Amino acid sequence: MSNNFRFFSPTEVIFGKDVEQETGKQLKSLGASHVLLVYGGNSARRSGLLDKIRHSLKEQDISISELNGIVPNPRLDKVYEGIRIGKADKIDFLLAIGGGSAIDTAKAIAYGLAEPELDVWELFQHKRAAKKCFPVGCVLTIAAAGSETSKGCVITNEKTCEKRAYDDNLARPVFAIMNPEYTRTLPDYQTESGCVDIMMHTMERYFTNGGNLEITDAIAEALLRTVIKNALILHDNPGNYEARAEIMWAGSLAHNDLTGCGNDGGDFMTHKLEHEMGGMFDVTHGAGLAAIWPSWARYVYRDCLPRFVRFAKNVMGIMSAGTEEEIAEAGICAMEQFYHSIGMPANMRKLGIMPTDRQILEMADRCMAASGNHRGSAKIITLDDAVEIYKNAR
Ligand code: NZQ
Ligand code: ZN
């Protein structure tokens, strides 16, 4: 049985070789006159992309301010710095160059500039909802978080080690410039973590007990099979353009809500459990998801058996006979095997962290606080459950 839904995916996607050259014209057509470029460490500079973007904007007489040094698991202090620059320079558009970290920082700055009298962190504490947001565009250089089309924005408060998400359609990027060639310079670990994250965005929406549509399931399963196939190609041949293109487009479709139409809002507990690992140990998001998912899956699959059986057969290709539980378990094992084959960890030890019992309790506590009333769909997760899932993932 399916649920009613609204599907809102306003981002204009400009995809393929050389499309970054259109950035200036695109911004001009949207009325931008003073743009804040938001980017990370060195990758965009090294690849020459940054200079191309600057040139493309200057050709259109668009003024530029810049905020660089955004790190993975992006920090709140950079958001405040960006708001200060944005106010002082009277910027009217944000352009992120990079991945989820740069884009989410740009989104948070955009919220902060639109309501400058309020503290933007209150959004992430869920003390209020945003009423306005400045426009955000992006030039994507890593296929992973899906922030280029999503309503999500994830920021870490470095003082409290809280990594928190705020979701709102207001911040969906107006456009996303996506040239898969730029993802060729990614370290393998980032490519592979990205593939896991893309798959998880679909799986979070797939493992539910709250209704589904056949067409949505079919899209989700095709997306998952496509990412598995092309992640394996990239593991052997990282320069393969076609595989890069498949993964990049999958990343946007995985998190623009397409694979959730008709469900009950999805599960998302793997993400919530991982965000606490990111907040405490600063792990790479996708690798963190790979490390916690098998433990979550084994803990919940009996409560969501038909979906796990379907996943095992339609995504992981399990053909063997057996009870439903055996088939579901075989599907989970096959996913672990896939993680191994692309160099991703399937537990915390392989991820390189070993939280103590006290740290696990702290992460579980925070996870419950951050989850509010949304504590899963495959199985509703309690504090004790979260503790067990973390412990079993060590
Ligand atoms: O800083 P630079 O030098 O650019 O290096 C980055 C960074 O170290 C590097 N990189 C990016 N493109 C590159 C490149 N290196 C070489 N060549 C390239 N073409 O990759 C590293 C990771 O970048 P980051 O932006 O952190 O990656 P990702 O896109 O995975 O974003 C992760 C963040 O997004 C959040 C995550 O929690 C994490 O904070 N998420 C955001 C979501 C959303 N807004 O909807 C949903 C996700 O579930 C996720 O939570
Ligand atoms: Zn994610």
Side-chain angles (χ1 to χ4, degrees), residues 144-145 197 200-201 255 271 275 285 289:
D197 194 18
M200 272 315 311
H201 293 154
H255 209 27
H271 263 75
H275 279 173
H285 173 60
L289 293 170

Side-chain angles (χ1 to χ4, degrees), residues 40-44 46 70-74 98-102 104 107 141-142 144-147 150 152-154 163 182-183 185-187 190 197 201 255 271 274-275 285:
N42 274 317
S43 74
R46 258 198 320 265
I70 309 305
V71 294
N73 297 322
S101 298
D104 287 358
K107 287 178 177 178
T141 64
I142 170 172
S147 186
S150 83
C153 177
V154 188
K163 183 173 175 177
Y182 281 100
T183 67
T185 53
L186 279 166
Q190 290 293 342
D197 194 18
H201 293 154
H255 209 27
H271 263 75
E274 192 285 332
H275 279 173
H285 173 60

Side-chain angles (χ1 to χ4, degrees), residues 11-23 26 138-144 148-149 175-183 198 226 230 240-254:
T11 307
E12 183 174 359
V13 172
I14 304 164
F15 192 100
K17 292 181 179 172
D18 299 326
V19 290
E20 68 282 0
Q21 292 169 12
E22 296 173 37
T23 312
Q26 179 68 11
C138 63
V139 183
L140 189 68
T141 64
I142 170 172
E148 68 277 9
T149 53
F175 66 85
I177 304 260
M178 295 166 49
N179 178 349
E181 287 187 310
Y182 281 100
T183 67
I198 292 166
T226 303
N230 288 285
N240 186 309
Y241 176 84
E242 292 306 324
R244 292 255 170 220
E246 298 281 358
I247 298 278
M248 200 174 206
W249 185 222
S252 302
L253 296 179

Side-chain angles (χ1 to χ4, degrees), residues 7-8 11 32 57-58 63 78 97 149 161 168 232 283 298 321 325 361:
F7 177 60
F8 180 68
T11 307
L57 269 62
K58 280 187 183 142
S63 315
K78 279 290 180 188
I97 305 169
T149 53
C161 294
D168 200 312
L232 291 167
V283 295
R298 291 207 168 84
E325 292 202 2
L361 189 57

Side-chain angles (χ1 to χ4, degrees), residues 172-238:
R172 286 196 198 252
V174 182
F175 66 85
I177 304 260
M178 295 166 49
N179 178 349
E181 287 187 310
Y182 281 100
T183 67
R184 281 177 167 152
T185 53
L186 279 166
D188 292 345
Y189 191 72
Q190 290 293 342
T191 297
E192 288 143 6
S193 297
C195 290
V196 173
D197 194 18
I198 292 166
M199 293 178 69
M200 272 315 311
H201 293 154
T202 298
M203 288 153 67
E204 297 280 22
R205 293 168 167 93
Y206 186 89
F207 291 111
T208 71
N209 277 317
N212 62 291
L213 272 174
E214 180 60 35
I215 179 70
T216 300
D217 284 342
I219 293 169
E221 289 161 359
L223 192 152
L224 291 167
R225 289 192 303 265
T226 303
V227 176
I228 290 173
K229 176 179 163 189
N230 288 285
L232 291 167
I233 292 174
L234 288 181
H235 190 62
D236 292 338
N237 180 7

